[in-house]
Amino acid sequence: MTDPPDARSPGASGNRKPPATIYDIARTAGVSPSTVSRALNKPGRINARTERRIRDVAEELGYRRNPMAGALPTGRTGTIGLIVSDVTNPVYFDLIHGAERVIASEGHTLVLADAQESPDTESETAERLLLSVDGLLLVGSRLDDARILELAEHKPLVLVNRSVPGLPGIVPDPLPGIRKALDHLASLGHRSIAFLSGPATSWMSGVRWETLLDEALRRDIGIVEIGPGIPTLEGGRQSLRRVRAARVTAVVAYNDLMAIGLLQAAKAADVDVPEDLSIIGFDDIFGSSLTTPTITTIRSPLDRVGETAIRRLIAELDEDDHSADVTLFTEFIERESTAPPRAR
Amino acid sequence: MTDPPDARSPGASGNRKPPATIYDIARTAGVSPSTVSRALNKPGRINARTERRIRDVAEELGYRRNPMAGALPTGRTGTIGLIVSDVTNPVYFDLIHGAERVIASEGHTLVLADAQESPDTESETAERLLLSVDGLLLVGSRLDDARILELAEHKPLVLVNRSVPGLPGIVPDPLPGIRKALDHLASLGHRSIAFLSGPATSWMSGVRWETLLDEALRRDIGIVEIGPGIPTLEGGRQSLRRVRAARVTAVVAYNDLMAIGLLQAAKAADVDVPEDLSIIGFDDIFGSSLTTPTITTIRSPLDRVGETAIRRLIAELDEDDHSADVTLFTEFIERESTAPPRAR
DNA sequence: CTGAAAGCGCTTACAG
DNA sequence: CTGAAAGCGCTTACAG
């Protein structure tokens, strides 16, 4: 007995095909459900002929394993959650692609979720996802350490661009990129610069600032922090007033979005970039090479970061402890938004 | 009895807290599991005092409903799947945000998935997701009609920027934007233009081309199709040769990415935009206002599209048939990449 | 208002 | 190699 032949158009409700179950397969193959389960999950563990037959029937019936039902007894969903502080932030594209690549090759499923730049949303999303994934990746988390540790109590969790003591975290070393950037600025003749910081909740912004501070000190370059600011074009635009007030000749922005925003505001105010003001961003997003001038920036190998993070998480799931610890580095990319300061 | 006090660091495997179940709550609250289930799901249907007590215990135990277990008997997961032809395509940002907004307000959970611009990946992802979501949103699907109808047999499905007979689809009317664009080009004096088409599998590219063709004919403007092409910067760059060969004075690109790519290639070849060549894109992505010149484009109200699509899907889930059919329109945005053709 | 019981679709010791 | 049975965590008629 199937759907009545007069079923309405496919869009109409109420005529959905109930998916085939292992019981359906068992019945038409003349075996028990347990055997079906084995045939489908542990190839080789049962009679080759029966296995063949069962697989054929499954195929014929369009059988798909019900992931929820499968997860109940095993506690395994085959799914990995990736929570990004903002999915629409271009920064994370390469990371998402990197993650997708290894996820696919490992036969898991990726569930993407967006924290929408809000700790509350992030916390809630993480909690909701926690029950239906095998492990969680938190990218650029805005949560505090305590909350993250709490989440990690329930499922394996790997951090990206964030470090919490006791938890695995992938964060590319900011030092190489920052050193090159400051060398570059110094050689150009800049003596006084500013850092446009990101949100107060951004751990990464803190790391970048601390590193910058250290290295500026070491080179006898004056540096001030301007912020915290919102990590968007708008945030960058808003900072122009304070940048000018600070009388610096160059600024390093927390990210390219802010760098571009600052560039736009500068143009609008007839401040020439790079002649009057040099600007350096972070991340090398799509867009930072579209502006005029193009943005000099410090990039992370985010695709590698995504790959590495997923591999680390999968190792964690498999309780495989010898996950080789790769170290990743930032890299300086010189483009057009930096030049010698105008003599005054 | 809880974890031994000497549990290793949180990162260590094997010391995860087993989540509390309704049985745990039932035991400590001194009621039956059924009552706990009711207290938590049908507020008001049981004794107010017991309900209070149960909720308190649940809170105290840090209870979270197991979504897989809940979904088994009900067939409802509270989750909606959103498959995007490419999550990292800036076009979809506003759409994702719009979708997120109404999802949250309706108490559902959004699961984002990426088709990575591949019909195979899309098909597989859809199939995998199908079993664990209540409904599916396909954005810019690259699947053929038959396959989409097949998927729709199992779960409610809503299309975005795609139309398949019998299925609900949200696609903003391309006409208003295209009319304005052609009027604009005509008034500037262009008599011969080209359309840079997207992938052959892109339904939307076909619609844009057909509409353009109609309207160009109506205005006695010559128009040729160049393509199909890949809908990326690179695709746009590659098209310059054919654009020049076609001796047109203006081109409308399938999307802004291609428009920007074409602009870059033109710059590199010393073709002045807009003097030698006018360029119009589609979508108004982040980036199209970053270039020099900025890109004149035709935008869709993608945030409204996202909202509408989710609302439509939820109406479908609730078998609520009076989902008001909003119509959405494209809009022409004049920027700097269009000008009168140079006299020859 | 509340409980006992059956069932959702699967997996996996346990026997044979 | 294969089957019967119990169980994963929840929901929901069905009784009371």
Side-chain angles (χ1 to χ4, degrees):
Chain A
M1 190 104 54
T2 50
D3 289 358
D6 65 323
R8 271 92 27 97
S9 74
S13 45
N15 64 343
R16 303 250 125 69
K17 266 193 199 161
T21 71
I22 57 169
Y23 292 91
D24 299 326
I25 301 177
R27 202 173 319 116
T28 107
V31 294
S32 80
S34 349
T35 305
V36 175
S37 175
R38 286 193 198 94
L40 267 22
N41 299 309
K42 334 249 182 203
R45 294 254 278 104
I46 72 168
N47 181 294
R49 291 249 312 286
T50 2
E51 182 177 330
R52 199 44 282 142
R53 184 154 38 90
I54 291 176
R55 289 189 174 281
D56 288 346
V57 174
E59 165 92 356
E60 186 180 315
L61 262 43
Y63 172 77
R64 298 275 107 193
R65 182 175 183 278
N66 179 326
M68 345 288 293
L72 249 200
T74 61
R76 279 273 204 148
T77 65
T79 284
I80 286 179
L82 174 59
I83 304 186
V84 179
S85 57
D86 177 6
V87 244
T88 65
N89 187 332
V91 182
Y92 298 124
F93 291 180
D94 284 343
L95 187 147
I96 292 175
H97 285 150
E100 283 171 337
R101 204 174 314 129
V102 351
I103 283 265
S105 76
E106 301 282 347
H108 291 248
T109 298
L110 219 218
V111 167
L112 267 176
D114 184 9
Q116 300 177 60
E117 219 42 284
S118 143
D120 288 349
T121 305
E122 180 175 355
S123 178
E124 203 179 305
T125 305
E127 197 148 293
R128 202 177 301 196
L129 236 49
L130 219 43
L131 286 283
S132 41
V133 300
D134 292 340
L136 212 50
L137 221 65
L138 252 39
V139 179
S141 180
R142 301 285 187 251
L143 266 23
D144 57 37
D145 286 18
R147 180 65 180 130
I148 293 181
L149 285 167
E150 217 172 280
L151 294 170
E153 277 178 358
H154 300 288
K155 289 279 173 71
L157 188 153
V158 170
L159 263 14
V160 169
N161 276 8
R162 171 68 183 264
S163 164
V164 167
L167 255 32
I170 313 291
V171 11
D173 185 354
L175 209 48
I178 287 180
R179 276 195 179 138
K180 282 263 183 105
L182 287 188
D183 288 346
H184 172 69
L185 252 22
S187 75
L188 253 23
H190 293 272
R191 311 300 317 149
S192 174
I193 71 175
F195 176 62
L196 229 58
S197 56
T201 45
S202 166
W203 180 86
M204 201 56 180
S205 180
V207 167
R208 288 174 181 173
W209 165 239
E210 286 300 334
T211 311
L212 232 18
L213 191 53
D214 256 21
E215 295 296 311
L217 242 23
R218 181 159 301 161
R219 282 167 185 72
D220 198 28
I221 293 180
I223 189 169
V224 294
E225 181 188 8
I226 294 181
I230 52 172
T232 59
L233 288 183
E234 188 47 32
R237 287 187 204 113
Q238 288 169 1
S239 71
L240 181 65
R241 274 180 72 233
R242 294 188 57 185
V243 167
R244 306 212 63 186
R247 297 178 174 282
V248 296
T249 57
V251 357
V252 178
Y254 161 63
N255 68 13
D256 286 345
L257 245 22
M258 297 182 85
I260 296 173
L262 177 59
L263 168 64
Q264 293 178 331
K267 274 189 177 175
D270 276 319
V271 174
D272 291 337
V273 175
E275 296 77 6
D276 293 326
L277 183 68
S278 284
I279 299 179
I280 295 181
F282 263 99
D283 301 335
D284 189 29
I285 60 170
F286 165 84
S288 62
S289 57
L290 257 32
T291 52
T292 307
T294 52
I295 306 285
T296 294
T297 190
I298 297 168
R299 84 182 311 252
S300 301
L302 254 355
D303 48 345
R304 299 278 333 269
V305 170
E307 285 182 20
T308 310
I310 294 283
R311 267 194 244 286
R312 189 73 170 69
L313 185 54
I314 290 179
E316 200 92 353
L317 295 182
D318 298 344
E319 316 219 339
D320 167 7
D321 282 333
H322 13 258
S323 67
D325 254 337
V326 275
T327 319
L328 301 168
F329 301 98
T330 52
E331 174 192 0
F332 178 65
I333 301 190
E334 182 181 346
R335 285 206 275 250
E336 307 164 352
S337 62
T338 42
R342 196 163 268 176
R344 324 197 217 174
Chain B
M1 193 100 58
T2 50
D3 288 359
D6 64 321
R8 272 92 29 99
S9 74
S13 46
N15 62 342
R16 301 251 126 69
K17 267 192 197 161
T21 72
I22 57 169
Y23 292 91
D24 299 326
I25 301 178
R27 201 173 320 115
T28 108
V31 294
S32 81
S34 349
T35 303
V36 174
S37 175
R38 287 193 198 95
L40 267 22
N41 299 308
K42 334 249 180 205
R45 296 254 279 106
I46 73 167
N47 181 293
R49 291 249 312 285
T50 2
E51 182 177 332
R52 198 47 281 144
R53 183 154 39 92
I54 292 176
R55 290 188 174 282
D56 288 346
V57 174
E59 164 90 355
E60 188 179 315
L61 262 44
Y63 172 76
R64 296 276 109 193
R65 180 175 184 280
N66 179 326
M68 344 287 293
L72 249 200
T74 61
R76 279 274 205 150
T77 65
T79 284
I80 286 178
L82 174 58
I83 303 187
V84 179
S85 57
D86 177 7
V87 245
T88 65
N89 187 330
V91 182
Y92 297 125
F93 289 0
D94 284 343
L95 188 148
I96 292 175
H97 284 150
E100 282 171 336
R101 204 175 313 128
V102 352
I103 284 267
S105 76
E106 301 281 348
H108 292 248
T109 299
L110 219 217
V111 168
L112 267 176
D114 185 9
Q116 300 177 61
E117 226 32 289
S118 144
D120 288 349
T121 306
E122 179 175 355
S123 179
E124 201 180 305
T125 306
E127 197 148 295
R128 202 178 299 198
L129 235 49
L130 218 45
L131 285 283
S132 43
V133 300
D134 293 340
L136 212 51
L137 221 64
L138 252 40
V139 179
S141 179
R142 301 284 187 250
L143 266 23
D144 58 36
D145 286 17
R147 181 64 180 130
I148 293 182
L149 285 166
E150 216 172 282
L151 294 170
E153 276 177 359
H154 300 289
K155 288 280 172 72
L157 188 153
V158 170
L159 263 15
V160 169
N161 275 8
R162 172 68 182 263
S163 164
V164 168
L167 255 32
I170 312 290
V171 13
D173 185 354
L175 208 47
I178 288 181
R179 277 198 178 136
K180 283 264 183 106
L182 287 188
D183 287 345
H184 171 71
L185 252 23
S187 74
L188 253 22
H190 293 272
R191 311 302 315 151
S192 175
I193 70 176
F195 176 61
L196 229 60
S197 56
T201 45
S202 166
W203 179 87
M204 201 55 179
S205 180
V207 167
R208 288 175 180 172
W209 164 239
E210 286 300 334
T211 311
L212 232 18
L213 191 52
D214 256 20
E215 295 297 312
L217 243 22
R218 183 159 298 162
R219 283 168 183 71
D220 199 27
I221 293 180
I223 188 168
V224 295
E225 181 188 8
I226 294 181
I230 51 173
T232 59
L233 286 184
E234 188 48 33
R237 285 188 206 114
Q238 289 169 358
S239 70
L240 181 66
R241 274 180 72 235
R242 294 189 55 185
V243 166
R244 306 213 63 185
R247 296 179 175 281
V248 296
T249 57
V251 359
V252 178
Y254 162 63
N255 68 13
D256 286 344
L257 247 22
M258 297 182 85
I260 296 173
L262 177 59
L263 168 63
Q264 293 178 331
K267 274 189 177 176
D270 275 320
V271 174
D272 289 337
V273 175
E275 295 78 7
D276 294 326
L277 182 69
S278 284
I279 299 179
I280 296 183
F282 264 98
D283 302 334
D284 189 28
I285 60 170
F286 165 85
S288 62
S289 56
L290 257 34
T291 51
T292 306
T294 52
I295 305 284
T296 294
T297 191
I298 297 169
R299 83 183 310 251
S300 300
L302 253 356
D303 49 346
R304 300 278 331 270
V305 170
E307 286 181 19
T308 309
I310 295 282
R311 266 194 245 286
R312 188 74 169 73
L313 185 53
I314 291 180
E316 200 92 354
L317 296 181
D318 299 344
E319 316 221 338
D320 167 5
D321 282 333
H322 11 258
S323 68
D325 255 338
V326 275
T327 318
L328 300 168
F329 301 97
T330 52
E331 174 191 3
F332 177 64
I333 301 190
E334 182 181 346
R335 285 205 276 249
E336 306 164 353
S337 62
T338 43
R342 196 164 268 177
R344 330 197 211 169

